[in-house]
Amino acid sequence: MIYSVRGRLAVKELGFAVVECGGVGYGCRTSYNTVAQLGEIGSEAMLYTYLYVREDVVELFGFATQQELSCFRLLISVSGVGPKAATAILSDVTPERFAFLVASGDSKAFTKTKGIGAKTAQRIVLELKDKISSESISGSVGGDAAEFANIPSGAASSAVSEALEALMVLGYSQGETAPILGKLDPSLSTQELIKETLRLMTAKNMR
């Protein structure tokens, strides 16, 4: 399995990029958001990849971040959502926004992507929310008082739990995110909590 590719960026187009590694050019289908994060032709690039194999179709998909790749994997696991639809959705929304929409049950927002109808959007929300353990979420919010000691119970049971659920959609564990959420301002909205948690985690990993 090809986990990632790193090398010289040879081609950069809307929804497609080629990264040359050891004399081999890997063509990757991707989202507009990932293309926007790539540098100039000739610069070094790295993409986290997914090899899609179905009958006579073999395509490599690449994404700038592991979070976007996680979203892609989740989307193609939904019945009726193929890789083309998944990359279209990820071209319209960031991983943070995607997680927030799923966690908040906002299926209507997904219909703004071309080719995504109301029924498909509803399946995305319903099927992905089912993959999140509500028991582990409620346990992390209400069971570990130390992590949420500075948050009023009302906020912890609403905005914080929604933010934690959304971050778990992205593939983060409650052990990674709960300690950070417990230190944030409880007056922040769910989306602000998600963005700030991701920012702090990124900053921590770059040290």
Side-chain angles (χ1 to χ4, degrees):
M1 179 180 178
I2 304 174
Y3 177 78
S4 65
V5 293
R6 181 195 294 272
R8 187 183 74 87
L9 182 63
V11 176
K12 183 174 75 170
E13 302 173 351
L14 284 179
F16 184 74
V18 176
V19 178
E20 288 187 350
C21 310
V24 179
Y26 292 88
C28 301
R29 301 289 180 186
T30 188
S31 69
Y32 295 171
N33 283 329
T34 282
V35 170
Q37 295 179 59
L38 295 174
E40 298 298 321
I41 298 296
S43 64
E44 184 179 74
M46 176 180 177
L47 295 175
Y48 295 96
T49 59
Y50 180 90
L51 184 62
Y52 182 82
V53 181
R54 287 294 184 278
E55 298 177 355
D56 60 341
V57 177
V58 178
E59 288 185 306
L60 189 64
F61 290 81
F63 302 94
T65 65
Q66 290 178 312
Q67 287 71 41
E68 193 171 17
L69 174 59
S70 293
C71 292
F72 176 80
R73 287 176 176 273
L74 284 167
L75 281 165
I76 62 174
S77 73
V78 176
S79 57
V81 178
K84 183 177 180 180
T87 52
I89 290 172
L90 295 174
S91 291
D92 289 340
V93 299
T94 62
E96 308 93 80
R97 180 64 177 166
F98 169 78
F100 176 73
L101 293 176
V102 172
S104 61
D106 187 359
S107 62
K108 186 177 180 180
F110 289 117
T111 63
K112 295 179 181 178
T113 296
K114 185 178 180 181
I116 303 299
K119 289 185 178 180
T120 300
Q122 289 169 3
R123 281 201 304 272
I124 290 172
V125 170
L126 290 174
E127 293 187 28
L128 295 187
K129 289 194 76 171
D130 286 344
K131 294 188 176 183
I132 301 171
S133 171
S134 59
E135 290 184 4
S136 66
I137 292 170
S138 61
S140 65
V141 174
D144 195 336
E147 291 176 349
F148 294 91
N150 298 321
I151 301 177
S153 59
S157 63
S158 55
V160 173
S161 61
E162 288 178 2
L164 181 56
E165 182 175 351
L167 289 163
M168 289 178 72
V169 169
L170 283 176
Y172 293 106
S173 69
Q174 62 188 54
E176 291 177 293
T177 56
I180 296 175
L181 283 168
K183 297 176 182 179
L184 297 180
D185 184 350
S187 66
L188 294 175
S189 67
T190 299
Q191 191 167 6
E192 289 172 331
L193 287 168
I194 293 170
K195 288 183 177 180
E196 184 62 11
T197 299
L198 290 173
R199 185 188 71 78
L200 291 173
M201 290 180 68
T202 300
K204 180 180 179 180
N205 292 333
M206 291 178 65
R207 290 175 184 173

